[in-house]
Every structure is written in C-alpha cells, then in structure tokens.
Coordinates of all heavy atoms in Angstrom, one line a residue:
M1 N 5.9 -9.0 10.1 CA 6.8 -7.9 10.1 C 7.7 -7.7 8.9 O 8.1 -8.8 8.3 CB 7.8 -8.1 11.4 CG 8.5 -6.9 11.7 SD 9.5 -7.1 13.3 CE 10.8 -8.0 12.7
C2 N 7.9 -6.5 8.4 CA 8.7 -6.3 7.2 C 10.2 -6.5 7.6 O 10.7 -6.1 8.6 CB 8.5 -4.9 6.8 SG 9.6 -4.5 5.4
G3 N 10.8 -7.3 6.8 CA 12.2 -7.8 7.0 C 13.1 -6.6 6.8 O 14.3 -6.6 7.2
K4 N 12.7 -5.6 6.1 CA 13.5 -4.4 5.8 C 13.5 -3.2 6.8 O 14.4 -2.8 7.3 CB 13.2 -3.9 4.4 CG 13.6 -5.0 3.3 CD 13.1 -4.7 1.9 CE 13.5 -5.7 0.9 NZ 12.8 -5.6 -0.3
C5 N 12.2 -2.8 6.9 CA 12.1 -1.5 7.8 C 11.5 -2.0 9.2 O 11.4 -1.1 10.0 CB 11.1 -0.5 7.1 SG 9.4 -1.1 7.0
K6 N 11.2 -3.2 9.4 CA 10.8 -3.8 10.7 C 9.4 -3.3 11.2 O 9.0 -3.4 12.3 CB 11.8 -3.4 11.8 CG 13.2 -3.8 11.5 CD 13.4 -5.3 11.4 CE 14.9 -5.6 11.1 NZ 15.0 -6.9 10.4
K7 N 8.6 -2.7 10.2 CA 7.3 -2.3 10.6 C 6.3 -3.6 10.6 O 6.6 -4.5 9.9 CB 6.8 -1.3 9.5 CG 6.8 0.1 10.1 CD 6.0 1.0 9.2 CE 6.4 2.4 9.4 NZ 6.2 3.3 8.3
R8 N 5.2 -3.5 11.3 CA 4.3 -4.5 11.3 C 3.6 -4.5 10.0 O 3.1 -3.4 9.6 CB 3.4 -4.4 12.5 CG 4.1 -4.8 13.8 CD 3.2 -4.4 15.0 NE 1.9 -5.1 14.8 CZ 1.2 -5.5 15.9 NH1 1.7 -5.4 17.1 NH2 0.1 -6.1 15.7
I9 N 3.4 -5.7 9.4 CA 2.6 -5.7 8.2 C 1.6 -6.8 8.2 O 1.6 -7.6 9.1 CB 3.5 -5.9 6.9 CG1 4.4 -7.1 7.1 CG2 4.2 -4.6 6.6 CD1 5.2 -7.5 5.9
R10 N 0.6 -6.7 7.4 CA -0.5 -7.6 7.3 C -0.4 -8.3 6.0 O -0.3 -7.6 4.9 CB -1.8 -6.8 7.4 CG -3.1 -7.5 7.2 CD -4.1 -6.4 7.1 NE -4.2 -5.6 8.3 CZ -5.0 -6.0 9.4 NH1 -5.7 -7.1 9.4 NH2 -5.0 -5.2 10.5
W11 N -0.6 -9.6 5.9 CA -0.5 -10.3 4.7 C -2.0 -10.5 4.2 O -2.8 -11.1 4.9 CB 0.2 -11.6 4.8 CG 1.6 -11.5 5.1 CD1 2.3 -11.5 6.3 CD2 2.7 -11.4 4.1 NE1 3.6 -11.3 6.1 CE2 3.9 -11.3 4.8 CE3 2.7 -11.4 2.7 CZ2 5.1 -11.1 4.1 CZ3 3.9 -11.3 2.1 CH2 5.1 -11.1 2.8
I12 N -2.2 -10.1 3.0 CA -3.5 -10.4 2.4 C -3.4 -11.2 1.2 O -2.5 -11.0 0.3 CB -4.2 -9.0 2.1 CG1 -4.5 -8.2 3.3 CG2 -5.5 -9.3 1.3 CD1 -5.1 -6.9 3.2
K13 N -4.2 -12.2 1.1 CA -4.1 -13.1 -0.1 C -5.0 -12.5 -1.2 O -6.1 -12.2 -1.0 CB -4.7 -14.5 0.3 CG -4.3 -15.6 -0.7 CD -4.5 -16.9 -0.2 CE -3.9 -17.9 -1.2 NZ -3.9 -19.3 -0.7
T14 N -4.3 -12.2 -2.3 CA -5.1 -11.6 -3.4 C -5.9 -12.6 -4.2 O -5.7 -13.9 -4.0 CB -4.1 -10.9 -4.4 OG1 -3.4 -11.9 -5.1 CG2 -3.2 -10.0 -3.7
A15 N -6.8 -12.1 -5.0 CA -7.6 -13.0 -5.8 C -6.8 -13.9 -6.7 O -7.2 -14.9 -7.1 CB -8.6 -12.1 -6.7
A16 N -5.6 -13.4 -7.1 CA -4.6 -14.2 -7.9 C -3.9 -15.3 -7.1 O -3.1 -16.0 -7.6 CB -3.7 -13.3 -8.6
G17 N -4.2 -15.4 -5.8 CA -3.6 -16.4 -5.0 C -2.2 -16.0 -4.4 O -1.5 -16.9 -3.8
K18 N -1.8 -14.8 -4.5 CA -0.5 -14.3 -4.0 C -0.7 -13.7 -2.7 O -1.7 -13.1 -2.4 CB 0.1 -13.3 -4.9 CG 0.8 -13.8 -6.1 CD 1.5 -12.6 -6.8 CE 2.0 -12.9 -8.2 NZ 2.4 -11.7 -8.9
N19 N 0.3 -13.8 -1.8 CA 0.3 -13.1 -0.5 C 0.9 -11.7 -0.7 O 2.0 -11.6 -1.2 CB 1.0 -13.9 0.5 CG 0.1 -15.0 1.0 OD1 -1.1 -14.8 1.3 ND2 0.7 -16.2 1.2
M20 N 0.2 -10.7 -0.4 CA 0.6 -9.4 -0.6 C 0.9 -8.7 0.8 O 0.0 -8.6 1.7 CB -0.5 -8.6 -1.3 CG -0.2 -7.2 -1.5 SD 0.6 -7.0 -3.2 CE -0.7 -6.1 -4.0
P21 N 2.1 -8.2 1.0 CA 2.4 -7.5 2.3 C 1.7 -6.1 2.2 O 2.0 -5.3 1.2 CB 3.9 -7.4 2.3 CG 4.3 -7.5 0.9 CD 3.3 -8.3 0.1
C22 N 0.9 -5.8 3.2 CA 0.2 -4.5 3.2 C 0.5 -3.9 4.6 O 0.8 -4.6 5.6 CB -1.3 -4.7 3.1 SG -1.7 -5.3 1.5
D23 N 0.2 -2.6 4.6 CA 0.3 -1.9 5.9 C -0.8 -2.4 6.9 O -1.8 -2.8 6.5 CB 0.1 -0.3 5.7 CG 1.5 0.3 5.2 OD1 2.4 -0.5 4.9 OD2 1.5 1.5 5.2
E24 N -0.4 -2.3 8.1 CA -1.3 -2.9 9.2 C -2.6 -2.1 9.2 O -3.7 -2.7 9.5 CB -0.5 -2.7 10.5 CG -1.3 -3.0 11.7 CD -0.9 -4.3 12.4 OE1 -0.8 -5.4 11.7 OE2 -0.6 -4.2 13.6
D25 N -2.6 -0.8 9.1 CA -3.8 0.0 9.3 C -4.6 0.1 8.0 O -4.0 0.3 7.0 CB -3.5 1.4 9.8 CG -2.8 1.3 11.1 OD1 -3.2 0.5 12.0 OD2 -1.9 2.1 11.3
F26 N -5.9 0.0 8.1 CA -6.8 0.1 6.9 C -7.0 1.6 6.6 O -6.8 2.5 7.4 CB -8.1 -0.6 7.0 CG -9.1 0.0 8.0 CD1 -9.9 1.0 7.5 CD2 -9.1 -0.5 9.2 CE1 -10.9 1.5 8.4 CE2 -10.1 0.1 10.1 CZ -10.9 1.1 9.7
V27 N -7.3 1.8 5.3 CA -7.6 3.2 4.8 C -8.9 3.2 4.1 O -9.3 2.1 3.6 CB -6.5 3.7 3.9 CG1 -5.2 3.9 4.7 CG2 -6.3 2.8 2.7
Y28 N -9.5 4.3 4.0 CA -10.7 4.5 3.2 C -10.2 4.9 1.8 O -9.3 5.6 1.7 CB -11.7 5.5 3.8 CG -12.3 5.1 5.1 CD1 -11.9 5.6 6.3 CD2 -13.3 4.1 5.1 CE1 -12.5 5.2 7.5 CE2 -13.9 3.7 6.3 CZ -13.4 4.3 7.5 OH -14.0 3.8 8.6
Y29 N -10.9 4.5 0.8 CA -10.6 4.9 -0.5 C -11.8 5.1 -1.4 O -12.9 4.6 -1.1 CB -9.7 3.9 -1.2 CG -10.4 2.6 -1.6 CD1 -10.8 2.4 -2.9 CD2 -10.6 1.6 -0.7 CE1 -11.4 1.3 -3.3 CE2 -11.3 0.4 -1.0 CZ -11.7 0.3 -2.4 OH -12.4 -0.8 -2.8
K30 N -11.6 5.9 -2.4 CA -12.6 6.2 -3.3 C -12.1 5.6 -4.7 O -11.0 5.9 -5.1 CB -12.7 7.7 -3.5 CG -14.1 8.1 -4.0 CD -14.2 9.6 -3.8 CE -15.6 10.1 -4.1 NZ -15.9 10.4 -5.4
E31 N -12.9 4.7 -5.3 CA -12.5 4.0 -6.5 C -12.3 5.1 -7.6 O -13.3 5.9 -7.8 CB -13.4 2.9 -6.9 CG -12.7 1.9 -7.8 CD -13.3 0.5 -7.6 OE1 -14.5 0.4 -7.4 OE2 -12.5 -0.5 -7.8
D32 N -11.3 5.0 -8.4 CA -11.1 6.0 -9.4 C -10.0 5.5 -10.4 O -8.9 5.3 -10.0 CB -10.6 7.4 -8.8 CG -10.3 8.4 -9.9 OD1 -10.5 8.2 -11.1 OD2 -9.8 9.5 -9.4
A33 N -10.4 5.1 -11.6 CA -9.4 4.5 -12.5 C -8.2 5.4 -12.7 O -7.1 4.9 -13.1 CB -10.1 4.2 -13.9
A34 N -8.3 6.7 -12.6 CA -7.2 7.6 -12.8 C -6.5 7.9 -11.5 O -5.5 8.7 -11.4 CB -7.7 8.9 -13.4
G35 N -6.9 7.2 -10.4 CA -6.3 7.5 -9.1 C -4.8 7.0 -9.1 O -4.5 6.1 -9.9
K36 N -4.1 7.5 -8.1 CA -2.6 7.2 -8.1 C -2.3 6.1 -7.0 O -1.2 5.7 -6.9 CB -1.8 8.4 -7.9 CG -2.0 9.1 -6.6 CD -1.1 10.3 -6.3 CE -1.4 11.1 -5.2 NZ -1.6 10.4 -3.9
D37 N -3.4 5.7 -6.3 CA -3.1 4.8 -5.1 C -3.6 3.4 -5.5 O -4.6 3.3 -6.2 CB -3.7 5.3 -3.9 CG -3.2 6.6 -3.4 OD1 -1.9 6.7 -3.4 OD2 -4.0 7.5 -3.1
K38 N -3.0 2.4 -5.0 CA -3.4 1.0 -5.1 C -3.9 0.6 -3.7 O -3.2 0.8 -2.7 CB -2.3 0.1 -5.6 CG -1.9 0.4 -7.0 CD -2.7 -0.5 -8.0 CE -2.2 -0.3 -9.4 NZ -3.1 0.5 -10.2
I39 N -5.0 0.0 -3.7 CA -5.6 -0.4 -2.4 C -5.9 -1.9 -2.6 O -6.6 -2.3 -3.5 CB -6.8 0.4 -2.0 CG1 -6.4 1.9 -1.9 CG2 -7.4 -0.1 -0.6 CD1 -6.7 2.7 -3.1
V40 N -5.5 -2.7 -1.6 CA -5.9 -4.1 -1.6 C -7.1 -4.2 -0.6 O -7.0 -3.9 0.5 CB -4.8 -5.0 -1.1 CG1 -5.1 -6.5 -1.3 CG2 -3.5 -4.7 -1.9
T41 N -8.2 -4.8 -1.2 CA -9.4 -4.9 -0.3 C -9.2 -6.1 0.6 O -8.5 -7.0 0.2 CB -10.6 -5.0 -1.2 OG1 -10.6 -6.1 -2.0 CG2 -10.8 -3.8 -2.1
P42 N -10.0 -6.2 1.7 CA -9.9 -7.4 2.5 C -10.2 -8.7 1.9 O -9.7 -9.7 2.3 CB -11.0 -7.1 3.7 CG -11.1 -5.6 3.6 CD -10.9 -5.2 2.2
D43 N -10.9 -8.7 0.7 CA -11.2 -9.9 0.1 C -10.2 -10.2 -1.1 O -10.4 -11.1 -1.9 CB -12.6 -10.0 -0.4 CG -13.1 -8.9 -1.3 OD1 -12.3 -8.0 -1.4 OD2 -14.2 -9.0 -1.8
G44 N -9.1 -9.4 -1.1 CA -8.0 -9.7 -2.0 C -8.0 -9.1 -3.4 O -7.3 -9.5 -4.3
K45 N -8.9 -8.2 -3.6 CA -8.9 -7.4 -4.9 C -8.1 -6.2 -4.8 O -7.9 -5.6 -3.8 CB -10.4 -7.0 -5.2 CG -11.3 -8.2 -5.5 CD -12.6 -7.8 -6.2 CE -13.5 -9.0 -6.3 NZ -14.6 -8.9 -5.4
V46 N -7.4 -5.9 -5.9 CA -6.6 -4.7 -5.9 C -7.4 -3.6 -6.6 O -7.8 -3.7 -7.8 CB -5.3 -5.0 -6.7 CG1 -4.4 -3.7 -6.7 CG2 -4.5 -6.2 -6.0
A47 N -7.7 -2.6 -5.9 CA -8.4 -1.4 -6.5 C -7.5 -0.3 -6.8 O -6.5 -0.1 -6.1 CB -9.5 -1.0 -5.5
T48 N -7.9 0.5 -7.8 CA -7.1 1.7 -8.1 C -8.0 2.9 -7.6 O -9.2 2.9 -7.9 CB -6.9 1.9 -9.6 OG1 -6.1 0.7 -10.0 CG2 -6.1 3.1 -9.9
G49 N -7.4 3.8 -7.0 CA -8.3 5.0 -6.5 C -7.4 6.0 -5.8 O -6.2 6.0 -5.9
T50 N -8.1 6.7 -4.9 CA -7.5 7.7 -4.1 C -7.8 7.4 -2.6 O -9.0 7.2 -2.3 CB -8.0 9.1 -4.5 OG1 -7.9 9.2 -5.9 CG2 -7.3 10.2 -3.8
I51 N -6.8 7.5 -1.8 CA -7.0 7.3 -0.4 C -7.6 8.6 0.2 O -7.1 9.7 -0.1 CB -5.6 6.9 0.3 CG1 -5.3 5.5 -0.2 CG2 -5.7 7.0 1.8 CD1 -3.8 5.2 0.1
V52 N -8.6 8.4 0.9 CA -9.3 9.5 1.6 C -9.3 9.4 3.1 O -9.2 8.3 3.6 CB -10.7 9.7 1.0 CG1 -10.7 10.2 -0.4 CG2 -11.6 8.5 1.2
H53 N -9.4 10.5 3.7 CA -9.2 10.5 5.2 C -10.5 10.6 5.9 O -10.6 10.8 7.1 CB -8.2 11.5 5.6 CG -6.8 11.1 5.0 ND1 -6.0 10.1 5.5 CD2 -6.2 11.7 3.9 CE1 -4.9 10.0 4.8 NE2 -5.1 11.0 3.9
S54 N -11.6 10.6 5.3 CA -12.9 10.7 5.8 C -13.8 9.5 5.3 O -13.8 9.2 4.1 CB -13.6 12.0 5.5 OG -14.9 11.8 5.4
P55 N -14.5 8.9 6.1 CA -15.4 7.7 5.7 C -16.6 8.1 4.9 O -17.3 7.2 4.5 CB -15.7 7.0 7.0 CG -15.6 8.0 8.1 CD -14.6 9.1 7.6
E56 N -16.8 9.3 4.7 CA -17.9 9.7 3.9 C -17.6 9.6 2.4 O -16.5 9.9 2.0 CB -18.3 11.2 4.2 CG -18.8 11.4 5.5 CD -19.1 12.9 5.7 OE1 -20.0 13.5 5.2 OE2 -18.2 13.5 6.4
F57 N -18.6 9.2 1.6 CA -18.5 9.1 0.1 C -17.3 8.3 -0.3 O -16.6 8.6 -1.3 CB -18.4 10.5 -0.5 CG -19.3 11.5 0.1 CD1 -18.8 12.6 0.8 CD2 -20.6 11.3 -0.1 CE1 -19.7 13.6 1.2 CE2 -21.6 12.2 0.4 CZ -21.1 13.4 1.0
V58 N -17.1 7.2 0.3 CA -16.0 6.3 0.0 C -16.5 5.0 -0.7 O -17.7 4.7 -0.5 CB -15.1 6.0 1.1 CG1 -14.4 7.1 1.7 CG2 -15.8 5.1 2.2
T59 N -15.7 4.3 -1.5 CA -16.1 3.1 -2.1 C -16.0 2.0 -1.0 O -16.8 1.1 -1.0 CB -15.1 2.8 -3.2 OG1 -15.1 3.9 -4.1 CG2 -15.6 1.6 -4.0
G60 N -15.0 2.1 -0.2 CA -14.8 1.1 0.8 C -13.5 1.3 1.6 O -13.0 2.4 1.5
F61 N -13.1 0.2 2.2 CA -11.7 0.3 2.8 C -10.9 -0.8 2.4 O -11.3 -1.8 1.9 CB -11.9 0.4 4.3 CG -12.4 -0.8 5.1 CD1 -11.4 -1.7 5.5 CD2 -13.7 -1.2 5.2 CE1 -11.7 -2.8 6.2 CE2 -14.1 -2.3 5.8 CZ -13.1 -3.2 6.3
G62 N -9.6 -0.6 2.6 CA -8.7 -1.6 2.2 C -7.3 -1.3 2.9 O -7.2 -0.5 3.8
Y63 N -6.3 -1.9 2.3 CA -5.0 -1.8 2.8 C -4.0 -1.3 1.8 O -4.1 -1.7 0.6 CB -4.5 -3.1 3.4 CG -5.5 -3.6 4.6 CD1 -6.5 -4.4 4.3 CD2 -5.3 -3.1 5.8 CE1 -7.4 -4.7 5.3 CE2 -6.2 -3.5 6.8 CZ -7.2 -4.3 6.6 OH -8.1 -4.7 7.5
I64 N -3.0 -0.5 2.1 CA -2.1 0.0 1.2 C -1.0 -1.1 1.1 O -0.4 -1.5 2.1 CB -1.4 1.3 1.7 CG1 -2.6 2.3 2.0 CG2 -0.5 1.9 0.7 CD1 -2.0 3.5 2.8
P65 N -0.6 -1.4 -0.1 CA 0.5 -2.4 -0.2 C 1.8 -1.9 0.4 O 2.1 -0.7 0.2 CB 0.7 -2.5 -1.8 CG -0.6 -2.1 -2.4 CD -1.2 -1.1 -1.4
H66 N 2.4 -2.7 1.2 CA 3.5 -2.2 2.0 C 4.6 -1.6 1.2 O 5.3 -0.6 1.6 CB 4.1 -3.2 2.9 CG 5.2 -2.8 3.8 ND1 5.0 -1.8 4.7 CD2 6.5 -3.0 3.8 CE1 6.2 -1.5 5.3 NE2 7.1 -2.2 4.8
F67 N 4.9 -2.1 0.0 CA 6.0 -1.6 -0.8 C 5.8 -0.1 -1.2 O 6.8 0.6 -1.6 CB 6.4 -2.5 -2.0 CG 5.2 -2.7 -2.9 CD1 4.8 -1.8 -3.8 CD2 4.6 -4.0 -3.0 CE1 3.7 -2.0 -4.6 CE2 3.5 -4.3 -3.8 CZ 3.1 -3.3 -4.7
A68 N 4.6 0.4 -1.1 CA 4.3 1.7 -1.4 C 4.7 2.7 -0.3 O 4.9 3.9 -0.5 CB 2.9 2.0 -1.8
T69 N 4.8 2.1 0.9 CA 5.0 3.0 2.1 C 6.4 2.6 2.8 O 6.8 3.3 3.7 CB 3.9 2.9 3.1 OG1 3.8 1.6 3.6 CG2 2.6 3.3 2.5
C70 N 6.9 1.5 2.5 CA 8.1 1.0 3.2 C 9.3 2.1 3.1 O 9.7 2.4 2.0 CB 8.6 -0.4 2.6 SG 10.0 -1.0 3.5
E71 N 9.7 2.5 4.2 CA 10.8 3.4 4.3 C 12.1 2.9 3.6 O 12.8 3.6 2.9 CB 11.2 3.7 5.7 CG 10.2 4.6 6.5 CD 9.9 5.9 5.8 OE1 10.9 6.5 5.4 OE2 8.8 6.3 5.7
Y72 N 12.3 1.6 3.7 CA 13.5 1.0 3.1 C 13.4 1.0 1.6 O 14.3 1.4 0.9 CB 13.7 -0.4 3.6 CG 14.9 -1.1 3.1 CD1 16.1 -1.0 3.8 CD2 14.8 -1.8 1.8 CE1 17.2 -1.6 3.3 CE2 16.0 -2.4 1.3 CZ 17.1 -2.3 2.0 OH 18.3 -2.9 1.5
E73 N 12.2 0.7 1.1 CA 12.0 0.7 -0.3 C 12.1 2.1 -0.9 O 12.7 2.3 -1.9 CB 10.6 0.2 -0.7 CG 10.4 -1.3 -0.5 CD 11.0 -2.1 -1.5 OE1 11.3 -1.6 -2.6 OE2 11.2 -3.3 -1.2
K74 N 11.6 3.1 -0.1 CA 11.8 4.6 -0.6 C 13.2 4.9 -0.7 O 13.7 5.6 -1.7 CB 11.1 5.5 0.4 CG 9.6 5.6 0.2 CD 9.1 6.7 1.2 CE 7.6 6.4 1.4 NZ 7.1 7.1 2.6
M75 N 14.0 4.6 0.3 CA 15.4 4.8 0.3 C 16.1 4.2 -0.9 O 16.9 4.8 -1.6 CB 16.1 4.3 1.6 CG 16.6 5.3 2.5 SD 16.8 4.6 4.2 CE 17.7 3.1 3.9
F76 N 15.7 3.0 -1.1 CA 16.3 2.2 -2.2 C 16.0 2.8 -3.5 O 16.8 2.9 -4.4 CB 15.8 0.7 -2.1 CG 16.4 -0.2 -3.0 CD1 17.8 -0.6 -2.8 CD2 15.8 -0.8 -4.1 CE1 18.4 -1.4 -3.7 CE2 16.4 -1.7 -4.9 CZ 17.7 -2.0 -4.7
R77 N 14.7 3.3 -3.6 CA 14.3 3.8 -4.9 C 15.1 5.1 -5.2 O 15.4 5.4 -6.3 CB 12.8 4.1 -4.9 CG 12.0 3.3 -5.9 CD 10.6 3.6 -5.8 NE 9.9 2.6 -5.0 CZ 8.7 2.8 -4.3 NH1 8.1 4.0 -4.5 NH2 8.2 1.9 -3.6
K78 N 15.2 6.0 -4.2 CA 15.9 7.2 -4.3 C 17.3 7.0 -4.8 O 17.8 7.6 -5.7 CB 16.0 8.0 -3.0 CG 15.0 9.1 -2.9 CD 15.1 9.8 -1.6 CE 13.8 10.1 -1.0 NZ 13.8 10.3 0.5
K79 N 18.0 6.0 -4.2 CA 19.4 5.6 -4.5 C 19.5 5.3 -6.0 O 20.4 5.7 -6.7 CB 19.9 4.5 -3.6 CG 20.6 5.0 -2.4 CD 21.2 3.9 -1.6 CE 21.3 4.2 -0.2 NZ 21.5 3.1 0.7
R80 N 18.5 4.4 -6.4 CA 18.5 3.9 -7.8 C 18.4 5.1 -8.8 O 18.9 5.1 -9.8 CB 17.4 2.9 -8.0 CG 18.0 1.5 -7.8 CD 17.2 0.5 -8.6 NE 15.7 0.6 -8.2 CZ 14.9 -0.4 -8.1 NH1 15.4 -1.6 -8.5 NH2 13.6 -0.3 -7.8
R81 N 17.4 6.1 -8.4 CA 17.2 7.2 -9.3 C 18.5 8.0 -9.4 O 18.8 8.4 -10.5 CB 16.1 8.1 -8.7 CG 15.2 8.6 -9.7 CD 14.0 9.4 -9.2 NE 13.0 8.5 -8.5 CZ 12.3 8.8 -7.5 NH1 12.3 10.1 -7.0 NH2 11.3 8.0 -7.0
K82 N 19.2 8.2 -8.3 CA 20.4 9.0 -8.3 C 21.4 8.3 -9.2 O 22.1 8.9 -10.0 CB 21.0 9.1 -6.9 CG 20.5 10.4 -6.2 CD 21.1 10.6 -4.9 CE 20.4 11.6 -4.1 NZ 20.8 11.5 -2.6
A83 N 21.5 7.0 -9.1 CA 22.5 6.2 -9.8 C 22.3 6.4 -11.4 O 23.3 6.2 -12.1 CB 22.5 4.7 -9.4
K84 N 21.1 6.6 -11.8 CA 20.8 6.6 -13.2 C 21.4 7.9 -13.8 O 21.6 7.9 -15.0 CB 19.3 6.6 -13.4 CG 18.7 5.2 -13.7 CD 17.3 5.3 -14.0 CE 16.6 3.9 -14.1 NZ 15.2 4.0 -14.3
K85 N 21.5 9.0 -13.0 CA 21.9 10.3 -13.6 C 23.4 10.2 -14.0 O 24.2 9.6 -13.4 CB 21.7 11.3 -12.6 CG 20.3 11.8 -12.6 CD 20.1 12.9 -11.6 CE 18.6 13.2 -11.5 NZ 18.4 14.1 -10.3
Ligands
LIG1 ZN1 9.1 -2.3 5.0

C-alpha cells in the first residue's frame, strides 16, 4: 500500500536490484524510445514507450511506476510548481 495516497501498489524488483512501487494493474505498452511513459516489465526491466489500451500490436505488458500516478505526488508536484513562480 502506498503510504501517501493509500492505494494498493505492487513492488517489482528491477534489474538493478531496486524495489520499485508500481500500480497494481498491468497495462499494455508499445515500446518507443520517444514515448512519454515508463513501464516496468514483470521481469524488472524499465521500458520507454506508450501505454495502449488494446492488446493488439503491443510489445508486451508491464506496470506503471506508482510515482507517475500517485495522487499525492501529483498534488505535491503542483504545489512545487506554483511555489517556483
Ligand atoms: Zn501513492
């Protein structure tokens, strides 16, 4: 569980040996070096690509790092952006 927003999270051990908090549900993604999304694959690799909502023509599936979707992190980021102005 995320200590900040209280959502359920899944820990995935990355190839670098770190535990990465990810969203519970998996997503399909298409690998693309210019993509804006980071996806952690079940075997711990971090892929760059685009999350797609159909399982056709995808590279595979994986999990979104939780810090990309955490409501608390979003709030925190907004506040910081405001403070800079
Ligand atoms: Zn969270």
Side-chain angles (χ1 to χ4, degrees):
M1 194 171 81
C2 176
K4 291 168 180 170
C5 69
K6 311 292 182 205
K7 258 193 198 153
R8 284 168 60 141
I9 51 173
R10 170 191 302 272
W11 291 92
I12 294 178
K13 195 164 190 173
T14 67
K18 276 191 195 165
N19 281 317
M20 177 93 116
C22 292
D23 279 8
E24 171 112 304
D25 299 323
F26 71 86
V27 292
Y28 293 106
Y29 73 99
K30 203 166 188 280
E31 201 153 34
D32 175 5
K36 61 175 173 56
D37 298 315
K38 292 269 185 255
I39 301 97
V40 186
T41 64
D43 57 353
K45 291 192 188 107
V46 181
T48 301
T50 307
I51 289 163
V52 291
H53 298 284
S54 148
E56 289 175 76
F57 313 118
V58 297
T59 308
F61 71 93
Y63 300 91
I64 307 169
H66 181 63
F67 55 74
T69 64
C70 182
E71 288 301 318
Y72 182 92
E73 291 283 342
K74 274 184 205 162
M75 246 161 48
F76 189 66
R77 243 178 269 157
K78 258 183 225 160
K79 268 185 204 160
R80 267 206 303 213
R81 217 177 286 153
K82 267 183 197 164
K84 266 187 188 172
K85 277 182 189 168

